[in-house]
Amino acid sequence: GRSVLEGLGWKERLLRTQQGLARPDALLALRRSLCLLLCNIWQEQQHPHADQVFRGLQMLNGESLLLQASLCRSTGHLESASVSILQAIALEKPNPFHGKAVIEKAKLMWAMDKKTQAISELKAFDTPQGRAERRASGGTSSDTSNALLQLANWSSVTGHENAVQLVELYRRVTKLSPQWEKGYFHHAKYLDEVMHDAKERQRPNSEAQQSFAAGRAPAERCYLEYLPTVIKMYRESLKYGTRFLFQSLPRMMTLWYTFGFECASSQLHRRVAKNTVATVSRDITAHMKEARSSVPPHVWLAVLPQLISQILHPDRNVQAITKAIILRTLVAFPQQVMWALAAVLKSNIQNRRGVAREIIRSASKQKTLRAATRDGLHRFESFVDQLKKLCNYDVGNCLLYTSPSPRD
């Protein structure tokens, strides 16, 4: 029964329907009706696999209810969403959708501007009783991760938890789901905001810094000490997916390059202790070396212009890692990266030309390259020279006429 329903391509049908509630709701209602009909048929039969099929059909029914609840909530039909959630919670035990239904219920409360109740619902999710209920119903660790992440995000907005408790929540999320990019991204995003606020407070002669000093509060953690963890979390997010690629990668690169510039120009030493700068620099270098090898090569294509613009970065460690990232990406995607390096090969700055040639030479020595690709790397600079000559070729008085129709 379940295999027949899955073979009808429900996900593809939903993706192809018009935006709104009417069309998807009709599809989901049909799916639930078919599930219930097949459940009744299989319950009446004395088949040896009847229980297994019944559970599979119940799973499909639960999926449909949660999809409908999410759809109704996103389109503003909150009462309909509430009915679907209650039906999902009331499914026959063991109910593996109980945890997801509780999270959806919390999201509905948040949408109804019942923020305190929504947060209380998620906190109850993580109590010993809540954990026991999920174990009994066959819930997964991903349900717990989703609930804790939602709790952390909402608490950071409402102020229900302090900074230490929030960081601990995010750490639990990444520990429970170590390959979930969303957990790492939101952890990085929160710490990034904390770092920015701390930097503003610690800015010399700022109003925040003066009021902080006037209160005679104990010295807080230096804003720079957050930076290695922020970069590490962004790196882990990129390592396990590309959903947040255009948020994580540009931000990680900006933080890294800005820190490198400040270190090279000795700007940080005027505001931060030297041993703190040295420790942070060492940690960031280690994280970016790991990113060079662990982040998939196709991810770096999104910031290839930024990478190439920094091949002469004033900080030696940053420059070396940047060249290594470009080299790895060039070996994986020679066609794309070679064209990006074409302009650098003919740069007016000798050092930039030298670095580009060095990267291409190093790539041509890689044993994983095919012979044709290696030969193309060797000939690429001369090919660019020929293209320049072609662009500057004087055609004289030779004029080419074109017409939309052939001449008589």
Side-chain angles (χ1 to χ4, degrees), residues 75-93:
T75 53
H77 296 77
L78 303 184
E79 291 184 4
S80 300
S82 179
V83 172
S84 298
I85 290 169
L86 291 175
Q87 289 176 346
I89 292 175
L91 286 175
E92 185 176 335
K93 296 182 180 181

Side-chain angles (χ1 to χ4, degrees), residues 32-46 50 53-55 57-58 61 92:
R32 288 201 319 276
S33 299
L34 289 173
C35 284
L36 294 174
L37 178 62
L38 290 171
C39 282
N40 293 333
I41 293 173
W42 277 91
Q43 276 185 323
E44 295 173 359
Q45 294 183 1
Q46 300 297 323
V53 174
F54 180 76
R55 284 196 298 271
L57 291 169
Q58 285 283 77
N61 188 33
E92 185 176 335

Side-chain angles (χ1 to χ4, degrees), residues 307-338:
L307 287 167
I308 290 176
S309 70
Q310 300 295 335
I311 57 176
L312 287 183
H313 195 282
D315 186 273
R316 288 181 298 175
N317 290 328
V318 174
Q319 183 183 139
I321 296 172
T322 298
K323 290 192 290 186
I325 292 172
I326 296 173
L327 172 61
R328 181 168 176 248
T329 312
L330 173 59
V331 172
F333 302 97
Q335 297 289 341
Q336 290 82 352
V337 181
M338 278 197 297

Side-chain angles (χ1 to χ4, degrees), residues 57-296:
L57 291 169
Q58 285 283 77
M59 292 278 288
L60 288 176
N61 188 33
E63 289 175 9
S64 300
L65 287 169
L66 290 179
L67 280 171
Q68 187 172 29
S70 178
L71 180 65
C72 292
R73 175 175 53 81
S74 62
T75 53
H77 296 77
L78 303 184
E79 291 184 4
S80 300
S82 179
V83 172
S84 298
I85 290 169
L86 291 175
Q87 289 176 346
I89 292 175
L91 286 175
E92 185 176 335
K93 296 182 180 181
N95 179 11
F97 291 99
H98 184 271
K100 293 181 177 64
V102 171
I103 296 172
E104 188 60 40
K105 181 181 177 182
K107 290 180 179 179
L108 178 62
M109 290 179 175
W110 186 270
M112 297 169 70
D113 204 26
K114 299 178 179 178
K115 295 180 170 54
T116 302
Q117 289 176 261
I119 290 175
S120 299
E121 193 75 34
L122 291 181
K123 284 185 175 180
F125 192 91
D126 194 39
T127 60
Q129 182 181 355
R131 289 193 289 269
E133 287 180 358
R134 287 196 304 282
R135 282 195 298 269
S137 62
T140 62
S141 61
S142 64
D143 294 339
T144 307
S145 300
N146 269 300
L148 291 178
L149 180 60
Q150 196 67 73
L151 175 60
N153 289 340
W154 286 347
S155 297
S156 68
V157 174
T158 61
H160 276 75
E161 306 286 349
N162 59 40
V164 175
Q165 293 169 325
L166 285 171
V167 170
E168 182 59 29
L169 280 174
Y170 284 116
R171 283 177 179 167
R172 287 183 61 193
V173 171
T174 54
K175 185 177 180 180
L176 282 169
S177 300
Q179 296 184 355
W180 190 32
E181 58 171 322
K182 188 175 181 180
Y184 290 112
F185 171 73
H186 284 284
H187 190 178
K189 188 178 177 183
Y190 172 72
L191 288 178
D192 202 350
E193 293 173 356
V194 171
M195 180 178 68
H196 176 75
D197 292 342
K199 185 177 181 179
E200 290 299 314
R201 287 194 299 272
Q202 295 167 20
R203 193 183 299 277
N205 301 321
S206 67
E207 293 183 5
Q209 194 272 342
Q210 291 174 2
S211 61
F212 186 78
R216 295 184 180 180
E220 66 173 337
R221 183 182 179 186
C222 175
Y223 77 92
L224 205 60
E225 295 177 7
Y226 292 100
L227 187 55
T229 307
V230 172
I231 288 178
K232 179 184 177 182
M233 292 299 110
Y234 279 132
R235 181 200 74 197
E236 292 299 297
S237 174
L238 293 165
K239 180 179 176 181
Y240 294 113
T242 56
R243 180 180 175 184
F244 304 99
L245 170 64
F246 295 105
Q247 296 165 277
S248 296
L249 188 54
R251 183 57 179 163
M252 182 182 76
M253 303 299 286
T254 299
L255 290 172
W256 178 40
Y257 284 138
T258 301
F259 175 76
F261 274 118
E262 291 179 343
C263 284
S265 61
S266 301
Q267 294 179 17
L268 286 173
H269 296 94
R270 302 169 192 168
R271 308 192 305 268
V272 183
K274 288 186 177 181
N275 59 340
T276 301
V277 174
T279 302
V280 170
S281 179
R282 183 179 65 249
D283 292 343
I284 289 176
T285 300
H287 292 323
M288 289 309 300
K289 284 182 178 179
E290 172 67 21
R292 174 195 64 193
S293 56
S294 64
V295 174

Side-chain angles (χ1 to χ4, degrees), residues 364-396:
S364 64
K365 296 176 182 177
Q366 300 294 317
K367 296 180 180 179
T368 56
L369 284 180
R370 295 183 302 172
T373 304
R374 187 176 292 108
D375 184 59
L377 289 172
H378 287 306
R379 297 169 180 263
F380 185 66
E381 187 169 2
S382 62
F383 174 67
V384 174
D385 289 333
Q386 294 301 319
L387 287 178
K388 285 188 65 178
K389 290 179 181 179
L390 182 61
C391 292
N392 296 323
Y393 181 73
D394 184 11
V395 297

